[in-house]
Amino acid sequence: MIQKIKSVAFFLFLLLVMGSFQKKEMDSTLIIQFRAYVHGSPLELNKKYLNPFGEAFEVTRFRFYTGKIAPAYIDASLKAKITSPYHLIDFSDSNSTRIELPVAAGNCHGIQLQIGVDSIDQSRGAQTGALDPAKGMFWTWNSGYINFKIEGNSPLSTQPSHLFEYHIGGYRNDNNTVWKIKLFSTNDESFLITKENKVVIEVGLDLDYLFDGPTPLRIRETSSCMMPGELARKISENFIGTFTGLTISPNP
Amino acid sequence: MKSLAVITFIGFCAVMWINVPFPFIIPKGFPPPVYRFQNNARTKEGFELGRKLFYDGILSKDGNIPCSSCHQQFAAFATYEHRLSHGFNDHLGFRNAPGLFNLAWERELHWDGGINHIEVQPLAPLVDPHEMAEDLNTVIGKLKKDKTYPVLFKQVFGSPGINSQRILRALAQFTASLVSADAKYDKVKRGDSHFNQYEQKGYEIFQLKCSRCHQEPLFTDLSYRNTGIEVDSTLKDYGRMRITGRKEDSLKFQVPSLRNVFLTFPYAHDGRFATISEVLEHYNSGIIQSPTLDSGLRKGIPISSDDRFYLIYFLETLTDSSFIRNPLYSDPALHGEMAKPVEDSH
């Protein structure tokens, strides 16, 4: 009899354990949409803008790496499982700016994400997918990924064809340009992710802050940065400042 | 009985079209390698594909500059007798092409250590406008259109398709397999041979004066050091500083291995020293003081003419003739015949 109770109890315990595993299953979907802005209006490539220093510029290419994205759950016991691979966000390709992420259900107040490719993933050898060196985001003579690339032209650039080019990367010690950031909703609202309720999060990047950041970046003075170093690190800090919080909407 | 089992196994692999495992043998006395063919299991087919790519000009823009154009087997895969190598359209390269051997033990590659993994190394010469001057996507396109490569890639990787990862992994199967550990020095260490008295004396001087940086058994400690040289005013190459951006690394270069040193002349990152004697004289009397000079070289290394005589005897025992004659590493198009040094083919 006692044996029987024991086995039933064990069975119940097993069910409980399995149930708790079920809860953490990544059966829900989080959709993240990246959008770039200048002065609050959506960035259009090859269109003339003025930066906060009054410098005219056009953007021809704008790409960056992100990865290790996960919801920030309000319930601290719900540790986010980070399985998200790297994504190359390219504003000339609208398919690349939207990411669908399998996540566990839960009440969230933001997301965490990494901008750039961290040191572990920088030195794994030949890779495919977003990290394929054929994507043109890999430095061949100083191995490493360009974490973010913005190119364009400006009459104030002293370079040939008035180009400005910021190829920002570097992962070694003081030259690290990889950031882990947490973004919260702009109006401090929480949002519930469930199996039925796909949530769309818009992550906005405001290019004004790329120039008007902790280190003022004037095209007249600095029209190019093409290798890891102190300048790249400073520009990466400005770039992180362009991420301006989340706008949350239910699935359209 | 054992051989029958092996034959049956290989036969089974062939029938099932499974690639034959090709174990990487670590020479006795060598430390564990850095590159252990992780995610890139070494197979005979993979090695052969990498070897074919290494010797094929298809990787270069004009079809004339394969890897082997600057890395010649008879020179231990350095460029024979050239300060700087010739690349696309007769451009001169930036640095002296190093010999290629024992690369599986190198955490970082190139004179400045700028390459962080052996698999991504080929990308540097491939796109360099002075070397192979090619574009990665163009190479992929050319290989896909080729008659034989698509079949070979499918055979090696188990599914159709050619991408950058597969090209780079195949190349690494070949380059990481280039092991040089069968020089007279190695035979002496294994007890199969003896140094003569000159070599023995040279070995003792070597241990006293050179082995601080050129550590056995790799004959390099793979560190970055300024050996008291001046910057070349035309190349303006500051070595490791180019990678780290740190002033402390100015004029530092990775310590090269002395294995096969008789074959890899001229010496130093820009080939400025034509002979071993010149290099030894540099340490004896030519050290140029600078803030980043290696601390052990402030007073130079006194090397008398007697020392030099014996050292040269010892250094010759580091020439691995079975490595430079190994038909496994030679151009597959030569079918076992060895390429020989020719009068300046460039």
Side-chain angles (χ1 to χ4, degrees):
Chain A
M1 185 65 195
I2 291 172
Q3 269 302 321
K4 216 173 191 178
I5 292 174
K6 260 191 182 166
S7 64
V8 168
F10 180 68
F11 183 63
L12 284 175
F13 172 75
L14 257 183
L15 266 184
L16 203 76
V17 169
M18 282 166 74
S20 66
F21 272 121
Q22 294 254 298
K23 227 184 208 170
K24 283 182 192 162
E25 226 177 67
M26 317 273 267
D27 59 357
S28 307
T29 306
L30 177 64
I31 298 164
I32 298 172
Q33 173 72 53
F34 291 92
R35 274 190 217 286
Y37 295 90
V38 185
H39 306 318
S41 42
L43 168 77
E44 284 176 46
L45 298 181
N46 308 307
K47 185 182 170 181
K48 262 201 183 65
Y49 293 100
L50 286 180
N51 73 13
F53 304 116
E55 298 175 311
F57 72 99
E58 279 177 36
V59 176
T60 52
R61 181 176 287 171
F62 184 12
R63 298 163 151 193
F64 69 93
Y65 276 115
T66 183
K68 308 198 172 173
I69 309 170
Y73 296 106
I74 292 171
D75 178 357
S77 70
L78 269 174
K79 282 260 163 47
K81 199 173 153 198
I82 296 170
T83 53
S84 149
Y86 286 97
H87 304 269
L88 178 58
I89 309 299
D90 180 347
F91 287 100
S92 65
D93 170 14
S94 59
N95 290 325
S96 77
T97 58
R98 183 183 166 97
I99 298 173
E100 289 207 16
L101 206 63
V103 295
N107 209 0
C108 306
H109 54 94
I111 59 169
Q112 56 181 55
L113 67 165
Q114 181 178 301
I115 306 299
V117 181
D118 60 37
S119 61
I120 297 164
D121 296 314
Q122 287 273 7
S123 38
R124 279 194 200 279
Q127 305 199 50
T128 50
L131 296 181
D132 188 333
K135 301 266 183 201
M137 296 289 281
F138 189 79
W139 279 308
T140 57
W141 57 276
N142 185 1
S143 306
Y145 289 92
I146 297 168
N147 288 326
F148 105 83
K149 186 186 259 191
I150 182 162
E151 295 173 358
N153 47 66
S154 164
L156 291 150
S157 163
T158 52
Q159 290 209 95
S161 309
H162 298 292
L163 295 175
F164 74 88
E165 294 169 297
Y166 306 126
H167 293 184
I168 307 303
Y171 61 94
R172 291 181 170 97
N173 310 330
D174 345 331
N175 295 338
N176 193 3
T177 56
V178 185
W179 297 78
K180 284 188 163 68
I181 56 173
K182 261 189 184 176
L183 294 171
F184 300 99
S185 67
T186 27
N187 48 6
D188 276 341
E189 265 176 40
S190 65
F191 53 96
L192 183 67
I193 306 173
T194 64
K195 207 170 166 179
E196 294 73 33
N197 185 32
K198 279 188 187 174
V199 173
V200 181
I201 284 181
E202 186 193 301
V203 176
L205 291 85
D206 191 332
L207 277 188
D208 286 359
Y209 296 105
L210 176 68
F211 301 100
D212 192 10
T215 305
L217 179 63
R218 291 182 171 87
I219 298 171
R220 183 197 296 274
E221 292 162 3
T222 310
S223 51
S224 157
C225 179
M226 309 286 280
M227 60 170 84
E230 199 190 344
L231 178 64
R233 193 189 49 75
K234 285 178 172 168
I235 296 178
S236 81
E237 207 178 342
N238 283 13
F239 181 56
I240 290 307
T242 68
F243 288 84
T244 47
L246 309 173
T247 314
I248 293 140
S249 56
N251 193 23
Chain B
M1 191 62 211
K2 204 172 172 187
S3 61
L4 189 69
V6 170
I7 291 166
T8 314
F9 174 67
I10 292 172
F12 171 77
C13 288
V15 170
M16 301 302 289
W17 210 339
I18 296 170
N19 292 335
V20 180
F22 193 40
F24 182 68
I25 295 156
I26 299 165
K28 209 180 154 202
F30 271 43
V34 174
Y35 187 64
R36 298 169 204 203
F37 302 89
Q38 303 95 322
N39 309 316
N40 187 22
R42 191 165 173 270
T43 61
K44 184 77 172 110
E45 292 79 358
F47 170 89
E48 289 299 342
L49 176 57
R51 177 181 170 200
K52 184 173 162 65
L53 288 166
F54 184 87
Y55 283 99
D56 198 336
I58 198 168
L59 297 191
S60 67
K61 184 169 184 172
D62 62 2
N64 293 327
I65 319 283
C67 307
S68 58
S69 134
C70 298
H71 296 287
Q72 304 163 316
Q73 186 179 7
F74 54 79
F77 291 101
T79 310
Y80 189 73
E81 215 180 26
H82 278 66
R83 283 190 62 174
L84 304 170
S85 314
H86 304 243
F88 174 70
N89 215 6
D90 266 337
H91 285 287
L92 273 185
F94 182 52
R95 287 185 179 139
N96 183 255
L100 305 183
F101 47 83
N102 304 341
L103 301 175
W105 282 267
E106 296 192 20
R107 193 165 296 283
E108 294 166 323
L109 298 99
H110 282 194
W111 282 102
D112 56 19
I115 306 299
N116 68 14
H117 195 289
I118 191 171
E119 286 173 7
V120 296
Q121 189 284 331
L123 294 170
L126 192 94
V127 305
D128 190 314
H130 303 296
E131 300 188 39
M132 297 158 90
E134 191 44 296
D135 168 82
L136 186 51
N137 287 305
T138 312
V139 168
I140 295 168
K142 284 196 287 186
L143 291 173
K144 281 181 176 168
K145 271 192 224 140
D146 188 83
K147 275 183 200 154
T148 49
Y149 278 112
V151 181
L152 295 174
F153 273 89
K154 186 181 173 211
Q155 192 182 342
V156 171
F157 295 99
S159 60
I162 299 178
N163 61 25
S164 70
Q165 186 182 55
R166 289 179 167 194
I167 296 168
L168 295 170
R169 285 185 171 174
L171 278 166
Q173 291 228 1
F174 177 68
T175 54
S177 299
L178 297 170
V179 174
S180 175
D182 198 26
K184 181 172 184 187
Y185 161 86
D186 299 292
K187 295 187 172 104
V188 171
K189 287 279 154 181
R190 291 197 302 257
D192 296 341
S193 184
H194 295 282
F195 285 140
N196 67 32
Q197 54 174 338
Y198 299 146
E199 292 161 351
Q200 179 60 34
K201 197 142 190 214
Y203 184 38
E204 285 158 19
I205 297 165
F206 167 83
Q207 286 181 310
L208 199 68
K209 304 197 170 182
C210 316
S211 66
R212 190 174 68 94
C213 308
H214 296 285
Q215 283 171 11
E216 299 169 64
L218 296 169
F219 286 86
T220 166
D221 66 355
L222 297 168
S223 63
Y224 303 93
R225 297 172 191 265
N226 172 350
T227 54
I229 50 173
E230 256 177 332
V231 71
D232 180 292
S233 61
T234 54
L235 294 168
K236 296 189 178 63
D237 184 357
Y238 289 90
R240 185 70 179 154
M241 186 171 86
R242 193 164 171 256
I243 302 305
T244 63
R246 289 150 44 114
K247 273 193 210 132
E248 307 92 276
D249 290 330
S250 173
L251 289 171
K252 290 185 182 175
F253 294 88
Q254 197 180 62
V255 175
S257 172
L258 295 184
R259 284 182 174 275
N260 301 303
V261 69
F262 260 63
L263 306 169
T264 57
F265 61 99
Y267 305 107
H269 67 279
D270 52 6
R272 63 177 66 191
F273 301 117
T275 63
I276 294 178
S277 282
E278 275 183 38
V279 177
L280 295 175
E281 192 49 43
H282 167 75
Y283 286 114
N284 185 51
S285 66
I287 296 288
I288 290 157
Q289 302 291 325
S290 72
T292 60
L293 174 65
D294 190 69
S295 60
L297 293 175
R298 298 249 168 250
K299 291 176 185 158
I301 303 174
I303 298 173
S304 67
S305 52
D306 277 6
D307 288 347
R308 191 182 308 174
F309 175 81
Y310 295 119
L311 272 173
I312 286 175
Y313 264 99
F314 169 67
L315 292 174
E316 202 171 357
T317 73
L318 297 176
T319 300
D320 184 347
S321 36
S322 64
F323 174 70
I324 60 167
R325 293 204 190 109
N326 191 339
L328 259 186
Y329 303 150
S330 66
D331 184 347
L334 294 176
H335 303 291
E337 274 182 52
M338 303 305 298
K340 291 180 189 73
V342 284
E343 280 189 35
D344 199 338
S345 61
H346 293 294

